Amino acid sequence: MDVLEQFLKTFFDWQAMGEVVPQMLTVGLPNTLILAASSAILGCFFGLILAVMGISRNPVSRWIARVYTDIFRGLPAILVIVIIGIGLGPILRQLTGITNPFPLAIFALTLMAAAYIGEIFRSGIQSVDKGQLEASRALGFSYGSAMILVVIPQGIRRVLPALVNQLISLIKESSLVYLLGVTATQREIYRVANDSAANSGNMSPLIAAGVLYLCMTVPLTHLVNYIDKRMREGKAQKVEPDEKAAIIGKGAQA
Amino acid sequence: MSEFNSGSLTASNIHLAFGSNKVLRGIDLHVPQGTTASVIGPSGSGKSTLLRVMNRLIEPDQGDIVLDGKSVLKDNPDELRRRIGMVFQQFNLFPHKTVLQNVSLALVKLRKMSKDQANAKALEQLELVGLAHKADARPGNLSGGQQQRVAIARALAMEPEVMFFDEATSALDPELVKGVLALMTDLSKGGMTMVVVTHEMGFSRNVSDTVTFMDAGVVVETGSPEELFTAPKTDRLKGFLSDVL
């Protein structure tokens, strides 16, 4: 009975949780969202550039995209955040006077996110039928316009589920920023919980943090499944009978 | 009287190789204004590639392409393609856009029309192919035949001087072929200059003004439909016709 009590007290001390929750929601949550959302948006932007470079006809830009992607996909997140955040911190401070670790944290997260998102976009864009580019070019669109107006929008739509997965992993990875040393108001969810746990010698705040992370990530995973399902079934529902006949006709001819 | 602002098209001595694979070996094709030339031949003979070279989707290694009496090889290829409409075997409509947007996209972006102008023009073209009532549908909701008619409307909206058809009915279910061929016949009769790569021997024989038989990257025979279909001169054409007819 003692063991169970101890277990409950260590992990589910409601009072310790209750004390940390307000801070977690007012300080930790906004900071986590700022870190994840900014690096997701920047990651999408640079990821798209990497994807376009990766399928370019210019071998130099293909090579740059390849090497970049290999490096930043292949390194542990903790390593990149520490090298960038702690390594570049003093330089940034000397140059600009900025002591806030967020810019460098976002930069480090973006570097890695761009590598993953670039690969996601590239595979999506490459999965678009070649006829789409050809038809656009036959209408008189330049390669760039054809990609921007026709090919890339279709490619991105197909990889939305993978993109949301990437957002989920950014929400989780943003917790590593605690390593850079943050002031009280700069703490994200994990750090708020960690501080509280260290002060009280109780794990409950960390459990509360876990629940809060799940409150963000679980809906997102369901959003992924929803998008995925709608993309597959939405199409099937709309097919008219004569379209089915046409498909059967093609099969019969082949 | 032509309903279209069509032009003449001449390709001369076109050579193209992919590596050591010589796909086109000195092709000549002359399509006078307002006429329909069909190009027939076995698969792999270079017919579709010839179309793509003539609108410079693929640049030829050698030879000249003359549109309306003027060589176009030095022009901006994007501008050349705005003057030549192309219809594909697999339709290649843009699935993420509505039928109307498929037709109006190039009008807005390339012809710099206002949205309203472009939509009006696109609707007019859809009317012409009998699909104005599908303007708000997605291409995926249309039958293959309807999709191909939208693709034709999309190409015609740019008011091309020449229309290319690359096996436009080959991917269609047999009962859907007729509607597309009827539309192509109307265009031909209306005075559009057309180059039609096809396996539809009926169309080739009854609608086109000239027929060109290609095999292994060369023009083997060319002439009027009667000449080629009733009195083929070469064994290769005789063999091909006996295979397909």
Side-chain angles (χ1 to χ4, degrees):
Chain A
M1 214 50 204
D2 261 7
V3 176
L4 180 64
E5 211 165 281
Q6 170 135 27
F7 177 84
L8 287 175
K9 181 133 184 53
T10 306
F11 292 102
F12 299 98
D13 182 336
W14 303 115
Q15 200 189 339
M17 278 192 198
E19 276 166 16
V20 77
V21 163
Q23 257 202 335
M24 210 176 262
L25 290 177
T26 55
V27 178
L29 181 63
N31 284 332
T32 292
L33 289 178
I34 287 171
L35 289 166
S38 345
S39 45
I41 291 166
L42 290 169
C44 282
F45 178 75
F46 291 110
L48 192 54
I49 293 175
L50 278 174
V52 171
M53 285 172 72
I55 55 174
S56 141
R57 276 167 287 190
N58 181 343
V60 177
S61 67
R62 274 207 312 273
W63 185 83
I64 293 171
R66 187 75 263 149
V67 170
Y68 177 93
T69 306
D70 283 348
I71 290 174
F72 284 100
R73 258 195 337 178
L75 292 174
I78 193 167
L79 188 82
V80 176
I81 289 179
V82 168
I83 289 179
I84 299 278
I86 297 181
L88 294 182
I91 297 172
L92 185 71
R93 193 161 54 239
Q94 270 177 13
L95 287 177
T96 64
I98 295 173
T99 54
N100 189 326
F102 273 39
L104 287 176
I106 291 170
F107 178 55
L109 288 171
T110 299
L111 285 178
M112 289 177 289
Y116 284 101
I117 293 173
E119 284 295 278
I120 293 171
F121 281 160
R122 186 184 58 75
S123 70
I125 293 167
Q126 283 185 321
S127 76
V128 175
D129 181 58
K130 251 180 49 210
Q132 293 290 312
L133 179 62
E134 195 172 44
S136 321
R137 307 247 23 210
L139 279 169
F141 287 106
S142 64
Y143 176 80
S145 308
M147 291 299 282
I148 290 168
L149 292 169
V150 175
V151 179
I152 291 176
Q154 291 181 56
I156 289 180
R157 211 162 290 209
R158 288 179 196 193
V159 295
L160 276 181
L163 210 55
V164 179
N165 280 330
Q166 200 51 43
L167 181 59
I168 291 171
S169 91
L170 274 172
I171 289 174
K172 295 185 292 179
E173 280 171 7
S174 66
S175 63
L176 293 170
V177 170
Y178 88 96
L179 290 162
L180 302 183
V182 288
T183 64
T185 55
Q186 290 167 349
R187 295 176 301 169
E188 34 63 57
I189 296 171
Y190 172 75
R191 183 63 191 256
V192 170
N194 193 43
D195 285 355
S196 170
N199 289 337
S200 61
N202 188 291
M203 286 285 120
S204 304
L206 289 169
I207 297 292
V211 172
L212 187 51
Y213 278 115
L214 290 177
C215 286
M216 290 188 282
T217 53
V218 171
L220 282 176
T221 51
H222 284 272
L223 177 68
V224 171
N225 295 340
Y226 171 75
I227 297 173
D228 214 23
K229 196 168 167 220
R230 216 194 51 173
M231 287 204 307
R232 270 182 291 117
E233 291 179 3
K235 265 183 200 158
Q237 276 169 0
K238 288 188 211 153
V239 172
E240 282 182 0
D242 64 339
E243 171 68 8
K244 273 187 184 137
I247 292 166
I248 292 163
K250 264 184 255 173
Q253 278 170 11
Chain B
M1 262 307 274
S2 169
E3 296 170 27
F4 304 103
N5 177 30
S6 56
S8 67
L9 178 76
T10 304
S12 44
N13 196 31
I14 300 290
H15 285 263
L16 176 77
F18 296 126
S20 63
N21 179 17
K22 295 194 175 81
V23 185
L24 300 175
R25 300 182 292 158
I27 300 282
D28 292 301
L29 184 70
H30 177 56
V31 192
Q33 180 184 6
T35 65
T36 296
S38 53
V39 181
I40 59 173
S43 340
S45 55
K47 311 182 295 286
S48 297
T49 309
L50 176 63
L51 286 185
R52 283 162 176 73
V53 167
M54 290 195 298
N55 71 0
R56 294 178 63 195
L57 281 172
I58 305 171
E59 297 287 350
D61 296 335
Q62 195 189 321
D64 199 8
I65 300 153
V66 176
L67 183 57
D68 273 338
K70 203 170 148 284
S71 171
V72 293
L73 280 183
K74 296 225 159 55
D75 297 356
N76 178 342
D78 296 335
E79 271 155 34
L80 167 66
R81 287 184 213 114
R82 287 169 211 172
R83 300 167 62 193
I84 300 178
M86 186 157 183
V87 176
F88 299 86
Q89 182 176 358
Q90 300 297 342
F91 331 133
N92 295 343
L93 292 179
F94 308 136
H96 61 305
K97 303 208 172 277
T98 65
V99 164
L100 189 73
Q101 288 167 338
N102 263 274
V103 183
S104 64
L105 182 71
L107 297 176
V108 175
K109 300 287 179 186
L110 299 176
R111 290 271 182 259
K112 307 290 177 202
M113 287 187 185
S114 74
K115 257 216 163 89
D116 290 343
Q117 270 180 309
N119 284 344
K121 168 111 189 156
L123 211 55
E124 204 178 285
Q125 293 299 328
L126 287 172
E127 196 89 55
L128 197 78
V129 301
L131 286 170
H133 62 291
K134 292 286 187 187
D136 296 323
R138 298 271 167 179
N141 303 348
L142 304 184
S143 74
Q146 289 172 330
Q147 288 190 52
Q148 194 59 298
R149 276 147 61 200
V150 173
I152 292 171
R154 178 173 71 178
L156 286 176
M158 293 292 283
E159 299 182 350
E161 294 157 52
V162 182
M163 282 285 284
F164 289 174
F165 292 85
D166 184 17
E167 301 191 19
T169 57
S170 297
L172 296 176
D173 204 33
E175 77 262 24
L176 303 175
V177 169
K178 226 161 84 191
V180 172
L181 285 182
L183 178 56
M184 289 165 63
T185 306
D186 286 347
L187 292 179
S188 174
K189 297 253 190 293
M192 176 57 83
T193 308
M194 304 187 0
V195 183
V196 182
V197 167
T198 188
H199 291 299
E200 290 290 333
M201 292 305 139
F203 179 89
S204 179
R205 186 170 194 159
N206 299 322
V207 181
S208 47
D209 300 287
T210 61
V211 181
T212 297
F213 172 63
M214 277 177 70
D215 192 13
V218 293
V219 171
V220 179
E221 270 189 62
T222 185
S224 71
E226 294 81 58
E227 283 171 340
L228 264 79
F229 284 100
T230 53
K233 294 190 197 83
T234 56
D235 289 340
R236 273 201 275 182
L237 178 54
K238 281 176 198 160
F240 175 72
L241 290 176
S242 72
D243 285 344
V244 295
L245 291 178

